[in-house]
């Protein structure tokens, strides 16, 4: 694979400007493949920020970085201008402590997390492990959005092992702080049976808010409102009170708001706003509301002067 002098110069400029750079598919707030998501989850747990390049938006860099480091896949992590590798190698280096060393961080805390497993859940997990291939162990991963996943696979020897209700649970180092305090139970209801996992580290769920409640909060000045509708929709039916809009120009600034700020998300009928609220929940915001019925309900129930469309 050839690499033009111009592309080489662009890559070297990026590496010179950033001590840590992840060449990835998508961007940290919206990875476009599972491998990039894994790499972002690891780095995001260690660093407040890092350089990143969306190779999907730059085909020249996408092919050029493969030739530059003689590495055929994406993502690729560079630290101090040196290629460390892709997502699997990043994970291996995390668990061994080598990634902390490369990033100039203190050695990782390898204290096992406290996990509580009910007897019924332990019994169900034990049944699922019966007949498993020899050499496989129970792994638990918790991703940056606090989604928990169990799987049976061989041990690497570098995981952190937590013991609960007679189970040995293997975790990668990135999952350990997200899993601390986890409670796992077995529930049965008319919809079926399965594991119920409560994670005290996860941000609270997005709460529903009626337009009357929104009106009362707006008048009292007790929350911020973010309108997620496109510009043409906002022009047709403007929200008649102080608010923010979510677009590409404002996104980075809004994502940097205090995580405990009460925020209500508003759209046309309440669907897009819920997706936006869930996205901000994934960023760690924990006082979020979705305005049910959106601006249409506001017009119908609160302010008929706002046009309906």
């Amino acid at each position: 694979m050839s690499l033009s002098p111009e592309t080489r110069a662009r890559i070297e400029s990026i590496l010179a400007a950033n001590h840590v750079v992840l060449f990835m598919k998508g961007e940290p707030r919206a990875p476009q493949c599972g491998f990039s998501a894994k790499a972002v989850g690891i780095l995001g747990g260690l660093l407040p920020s890092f350089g990143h390049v969306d190779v999907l938006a730059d085909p020249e860099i996408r092919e050029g970085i493969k030739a530059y480091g003689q590495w055929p896949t994406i993502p690729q992590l560079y630290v101090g201008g040196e290629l460390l590798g892709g997502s699997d190698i990043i994970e291996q280096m995390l668990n061994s402590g080598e990634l902390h060393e490369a990033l100039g961080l203190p050695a990782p805390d390898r204290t096992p997390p406290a996990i509580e497993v009910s007897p019924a859940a332990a019994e169900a997990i034990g049944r699922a492990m019966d007949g498993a291939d020899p050499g496989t162990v129970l792994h638990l991963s918790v991703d940056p959005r606090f989604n928990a996943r169990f799987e049976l696979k061989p041990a690497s020897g570098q995981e952190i092992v937590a013991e609960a209700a007679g189970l040995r649970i293997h975790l990668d180092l990135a999952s350990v702080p997200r899993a601390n305090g986890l409670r796992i139970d077995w529930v049965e209801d008319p919809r079926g049976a399965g594991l119920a996992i409560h994670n005290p580290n996860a941000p609270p769920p997005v709460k529903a808010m009626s337009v009357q409640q929104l009106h009362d909060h707006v008048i009292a000045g007790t929350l911020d409102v973010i309108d997620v509708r496109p510009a043409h929709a906002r022009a047709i039916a403007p929200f008649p009170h102080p608010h923010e809009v979510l677009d590409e120009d404002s996104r980075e600034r809004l994502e940097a708001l205090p995580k405990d700020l009460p925020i209500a998300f508003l759209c046309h009928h309440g669907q897009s706003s819920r997706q936006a609220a869930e996205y901000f929940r994934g960023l760690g915001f924990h006082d979020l509301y979705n305005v049910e019925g959106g601006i249409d309900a506001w017009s119908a129930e609160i302010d008929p002067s706002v046009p309906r469309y």
Side-chain angles (χ1 to χ4, degrees), residues 28-89:
R29 64 191 180 197
Q32 296 300 307
C33 76
F35 297 110
S36 292
K38 180 195 288 187
V40 165
I42 290 172
L43 291 176
L46 299 177
L47 302 172
S49 62
F50 52 90
H52 53 87
V53 177
D54 178 6
V55 301
L56 297 180
D58 195 329
E60 184 179 88
I61 293 293
R62 180 177 184 174
E63 297 306 316
I65 194 63
K66 296 176 185 178
Y68 182 85
Q70 296 297 299
W71 192 269
T73 58
I74 304 293
Q76 296 183 21
L77 175 63
Y78 280 78
V79 176
E82 178 183 353
L83 173 65
L84 296 190
S87 61
D88 288 344
I89 289 180

Side-chain angles (χ1 to χ4, degrees), residues 164-188:
L167 299 172
R168 289 176 57 82
I169 304 172
H170 293 64
L171 301 99
D172 62 87
L173 204 58
S175 294
V176 168
R178 302 171 190 147
N180 198 37
L182 207 68
R183 298 200 308 273
I184 304 170
D185 200 358
W186 180 261
V187 297
E188 297 183 10

Side-chain angles (χ1 to χ4, degrees), residues 226-247:
I226 298 180
D227 191 337
V228 306
R229 293 176 296 157
H232 72 274
R234 300 196 305 268
I236 294 171
F239 182 63
H241 293 278
H243 64 282
E244 299 274 7
V245 299
L246 179 62
D247 57 24

Side-chain angles (χ1 to χ4, degrees), residues 194-246:
L195 294 175
I197 300 177
H198 173 71
N199 192 330
N201 307 298
V206 174
K207 297 172 282 290
M209 174 175 283
S210 70
V211 289
Q212 182 61 58
Q213 290 172 318
L214 175 64
H215 172 269
D216 296 344
H217 279 284
V218 167
I219 297 304
T222 52
L223 55 66
D224 284 23
V225 179
I226 298 180
D227 191 337
V228 306
R229 293 176 296 157
H232 72 274
R234 300 196 305 268
I236 294 171
F239 182 63
H241 293 278
H243 64 282
E244 299 274 7
V245 299
L246 179 62

